[in-house]
Structure formats: C-alpha cells, structure tokens
Amino acid sequence: MKPQIRVYADAAELAAAGAELVAGLAREAQAERGRCTLVLAGGSTPAALYRQLAHEPLSGDLDWTRMFLFWGDERCVSPDDARSNFRMVCENLLRRVEVPHGNIFRIPCELSPDAAAAWYEETLRGFFAGVQGAGGDITPAFDVVLLGLGDDGHVASIFPNTAAISEPNRWVLPIYVEKLDAWRVTLTPAAFKAARNVIFYVSGLAKSRAVREALEGTHDPQQRPAQAVRPENGKIYWLLDAQAAMDLGPRSFD
Ligand code: 6PG
C-alpha cells in the first residue's frame, strides 16, 4: 500500500498533527475492537507528540483504561536512566494519564539483552495468543505503531546492515549497535507485519536525506531499514515537518 505522506510547517504543527492522528486511530480501534494496542517510539522527537496526547483536548477524548502500550525498542539501561525510552514516555505522557499498570508493557532492560528480548517476545506472543494471521499462526496485530527515523535510516533499533532487518520469525531481538557501543532491544520488521497503522514520525533537516532514501531510494532494506517495515494490510503514514521533507521530490506527493 502506498504510504500517505503529510508535511507540516514546523515541529510544533507536526506534534499536534501526530497526536491527533494517534488519538484518532486509537479511538477507532477502541470503537471497533474495544481496545487500542499502541507501539511507542523512543528517542527525542516523539516527546512533543506524547505531551500533546497527555493534555486536553486529546487526553480527555481517549479511554486510557483501554490503551495497551508497548515500546518499539529500548536502550539496555535501567528504566530510570536518562537514556531510557520508558522514562521518556513516563515524563511526557504517563505522568499525566491514567493507564492501568497491567496495560503498560515495558521492555525490562534491567535484565541482560538476551533475557529482556526473550521476555518481551514471550509477553507479546502471550498478549496476541488469540490473534491469528492468514496462515493460522499468532500475529502481532498492533493497532498503531509509531516509529522515528535515525539520520542513518534506522527505525526502532533496526540499524542498517544488521541481522534484525531480515529476521523472519523473531518479533524481538537483542542488538549490539557497534556505532553506539551499546546494546539495545528492538522489535523486528516481523513484529510490524500485521500492524493496522504504521506512522513514521520525523522532524528536522538532519533526517531529510534518510527520509528521501527511505521514500525515493531504490529498494534496499539492508541500507534503508524503514523499507523493511511492510505491514501486509496496514496503512503507512509518514508525518514530516518541512525540514525533514526538504529533499523529497514531487514524485513523493503524487
Ligand atoms: C531510539 C529510537 C530510535 C529513534 C531514532 C530517532 O531508541 O533512539 O527508538 O529509533 O526513533 O533514533 O531519534 P530522535 O527522535 O532522537 O532523532
């Protein structure tokens, strides 16, 4: 399915639009299926979106008791570490909205990378146990997946030229990121194949080349991991501010 590309004047407009899209899709999921399963992005860009979601009018429009929160990736640090994606979501969203503790599926990176990934894989498979794909196998039918984009093209912690890109079965992998000299735990493209909505959420000039490569470059998921995120029947949105969209040609908007 062709991605929907939406460009906004600046980061503030992007955050407002991103929050409205996530809230709208969440309301739709809750109306149709009684709940919304949302995969949260890490890094710094989505913090402003989470703050918008955590304030009126959007926060009051959502039934937070029927929101189920997951993370697309996590740094292998403790949850109170300044680098933690869980901490970033707590500071910008969870401090202000009442999501039941049992609905928050944090990646337990206080464990070893292998143990955290194994626990998360088992937890996801248990959560989606009743959800089967066309082939009869359990499938991670997330309602909304929010992903950022690194300036090198990585999404979640799926970095270029790493095994995660072509992992056919595992939904979660421990990843040692050479360039960062750091361990991460990440969902894999296999975890996104049944997603109903995937939102790439990107801001800033530093990302413009990676955005162009992902959207207009040749198909090469090893170099452009965003191209490996291919929900079988889901919608893909690219929400960009003008700077991140700077290098896109007219073809991307036809
Ligand atoms: C992480 C994220 C990662 C992030 C990109 C963009 O743990 O860092 O999951 O994939 O989305 O690196 O990060 P910024 O939003 O900070 O530019």
Side-chain angles (χ1 to χ4, degrees):
M1 184 179 289
K2 188 172 169 57
Q4 283 191 41
I5 301 170
R6 301 176 181 178
V7 182
Y8 300 90
D10 55 32
E13 282 195 22
L14 175 66
E20 279 173 25
L21 178 59
V22 170
L25 293 172
R27 280 195 301 273
E28 186 181 289
Q30 290 180 346
E32 290 175 9
R33 288 175 294 279
R35 72 182 188 188
C36 171
T37 52
L38 168 61
V39 177
L40 297 160
S44 55
T45 304
L49 182 155
Y50 298 147
R51 287 195 296 274
Q52 293 270 349
L53 270 183
H55 288 80
E56 295 299 348
L58 292 179
S59 58
D61 283 351
L62 276 175
D63 179 350
W64 292 97
T65 65
R66 293 190 292 145
M67 291 294 291
F68 293 81
L69 304 181
F70 305 83
W71 274 254
D73 71 329
E74 185 56 276
R75 290 84 179 276
C76 290
V77 296
S78 73
D80 57 3
D81 186 296
R83 294 164 293 175
S84 163
N85 288 334
F86 172 75
R87 174 172 161 171
M88 184 271 289
V89 172
C90 288
E91 289 174 344
N92 294 285
L93 178 63
L94 295 181
R95 275 182 179 164
R96 293 189 57 91
V97 295
E98 295 296 319
V99 178
H101 180 72
N103 292 20
I104 299 173
F105 296 85
R106 176 178 70 84
I107 301 175
C109 279
E110 62 276 17
L111 304 176
S112 71
D114 282 343
W119 183 90
Y120 214 59
E121 177 101 23
E122 187 180 341
T123 299
L124 290 181
R125 289 183 182 275
F127 183 88
F128 286 106
V131 181
Q132 293 189 340
D137 52 344
I138 298 177
T139 190
F142 292 113
D143 293 305
V144 184
V145 175
L146 187 64
L147 292 170
L149 184 75
D151 56 10
D152 63 355
H154 76 263
V155 294
S157 286
I158 308 168
F159 283 79
N161 303 308
T162 58
I165 293 168
S166 48
E167 164 57 44
N169 303 308
R170 293 277 305 270
W171 297 355
V172 190
L173 282 178
I175 292 280
Y176 178 69
V177 185
E178 293 274 352
K179 67 185 288 189
L180 302 176
D181 186 21
W183 280 92
R184 300 270 186 99
V185 172
T186 188
L187 267 58
T188 65
F192 303 133
K193 67 183 179 185
R196 293 186 175 86
N197 298 281
V198 173
I199 304 171
F200 291 96
Y201 183 78
V202 194
S203 170
L205 203 53
K207 309 292 180 70
S208 63
R209 180 177 172 279
V211 167
R212 185 194 67 226
E213 291 291 309
L215 287 172
E216 298 178 353
T218 55
H219 186 70
D220 184 358
Q222 284 296 327
Q223 297 304 324
R224 301 162 186 138
Q227 294 178 349
V229 178
R230 299 164 64 90
E232 287 159 357
N233 299 304
K235 291 180 184 171
I236 297 181
Y237 301 86
W238 282 79
L239 268 60
L240 309 167
D241 64 10
Q243 289 195 339
M246 184 72 75
D247 290 345
L248 288 181
R251 273 187 320 121
S252 283
F253 299 95
D254 60 26

